[in-house]
Amino acid sequence: MPAPQPPTALKPVIVSGTVPDEATRVALLSRLREIYGAERVVDQLALGAVVAPPQWSQYVGKLLSPSLKQVHHGQLSVQGQTVHLQGEVGNEAQRQQLAADMAQSLNPTYSVRNGLRVAAREQSVVDQALANRTIEFEPGSAVLKPAGQLILNEMAAALLQLRGRRVALIGHTDGLGARPANVSLSLARAQAVKDYLMAKGIPADSLSTSGMGPDQPVASNATEEGRARNRRIEFRVGA
């Protein structure tokens, strides 16, 4: 399901997963293009032998409302009758209201898991330092390129401002190659970033690492430009 983004960012809305028929696929894509604009919606839906609950497509259509534009770095997952909403919002009222509105639009057999969190000021410090740049590595390895090291020098200065906040370093790859190898590579690259930042004075216990491989693309893997955007390190500020 879609990864909602703020309208000003003009980032793609990735729609992935399996639906039971072409009519459902067309309906979901049409609704998302109405909300976000056709040029931003990237179709990665597949048709498969899945059995959807009664009126499933109608209920999912109700979930896809313009209020999702309030969610940053988000993901809406619908698996059968379980709805999971993740991402960041501006305040606690938005966090509660979005989940409540979703629950009210569904029948009682559906459950809504509210994984939203309120965006912190510290996250904006990190995002501004990264400035949508990609930390580059040597092809197929976890060796940082000089350009990547220069970006991490700036990131280290930003992280020193956070005064003990924990930061998750999340590695991502494009969709080419075997998934297990990509997951391992993404974790190794996140660890390489951690090692570099530790050498710049960032405490080891304030940094955690994980590797998502190709599972959370931010662009289409059908083009080289999109694959380059998917090969990235994400910095996520926690408690």
Side-chain angles (χ1 to χ4, degrees):
M1 294 307 299
Q5 302 287 347
T8 56
L10 296 179
K11 295 180 180 179
V13 178
I14 309 295
V15 193
S16 62
T18 304
V19 293
D21 52 59
E22 180 66 15
T24 299
R25 175 180 168 276
V26 170
L28 293 180
L29 292 173
S30 296
R31 179 60 174 155
L32 287 166
R33 287 164 179 158
E34 178 184 346
I35 294 172
Y36 291 101
E39 70 283 355
R40 293 180 57 197
V41 176
V42 178
D43 174 18
Q44 295 183 358
L45 284 173
L47 302 182
V50 294
V51 179
Q55 298 181 304
W56 184 85
S57 60
Q58 291 92 324
Y59 282 120
V60 173
K62 292 180 180 180
L63 295 175
L64 303 178
S65 72
S67 62
L68 288 176
K69 290 184 176 182
Q70 300 175 76
V71 181
H72 299 241
H73 309 293
Q75 183 177 57
L76 174 64
S77 171
V78 185
Q79 297 182 349
Q81 293 176 308
T82 300
V83 179
H84 192 187
L85 181 61
Q86 297 174 282
E88 299 175 349
V89 291
N91 54 63
E92 180 62 21
Q94 283 183 349
R95 191 187 78 84
Q96 296 186 23
Q97 190 64 52
L98 280 165
D101 289 346
M102 283 189 171
Q104 290 175 7
S105 70
L106 303 170
N107 72 35
T109 62
Y110 283 78
S111 62
V112 177
R113 299 177 181 176
N114 186 359
L116 295 173
R117 68 187 188 95
V118 178
R121 182 197 66 82
E122 289 88 347
Q123 183 67 51
S124 66
V125 171
V126 172
D127 290 344
Q128 289 172 14
L130 187 58
N132 291 320
R133 295 174 294 176
T134 300
I135 297 169
E136 297 184 11
F137 295 84
E138 296 297 335
S141 80
V143 177
L144 284 159
K145 285 187 175 182
Q149 294 178 356
L150 291 176
I151 294 174
L152 288 180
N153 292 341
E154 298 178 34
M155 296 303 297
L159 295 177
L160 287 171
Q161 302 177 38
L162 302 188
R163 299 181 180 179
R165 296 294 294 272
R166 290 184 58 82
V167 177
L169 308 175
I170 307 169
H172 301 270
T173 68
D174 61 32
L176 298 182
R179 182 181 180 278
N182 279 333
V183 171
S184 296
L185 178 60
S186 64
L187 178 58
R189 287 178 168 176
Q191 185 62 48
V193 169
K194 178 178 179 177
D195 292 343
Y196 191 92
L197 292 173
M198 288 168 52
K200 294 296 180 180
I202 306 301
D205 60 2
S206 70
L207 301 172
S208 65
T209 58
S210 62
M212 301 304 298
D215 294 346
Q216 295 183 357
V218 294
S220 172
N221 280 304
T223 66
E224 176 53 40
E225 180 183 359
R227 291 191 293 271
R229 293 181 60 192
N230 289 332
R231 299 190 292 265
R232 68 197 191 279
I233 299 292
E234 179 182 359
F235 294 76
R236 184 61 56 87
V237 180

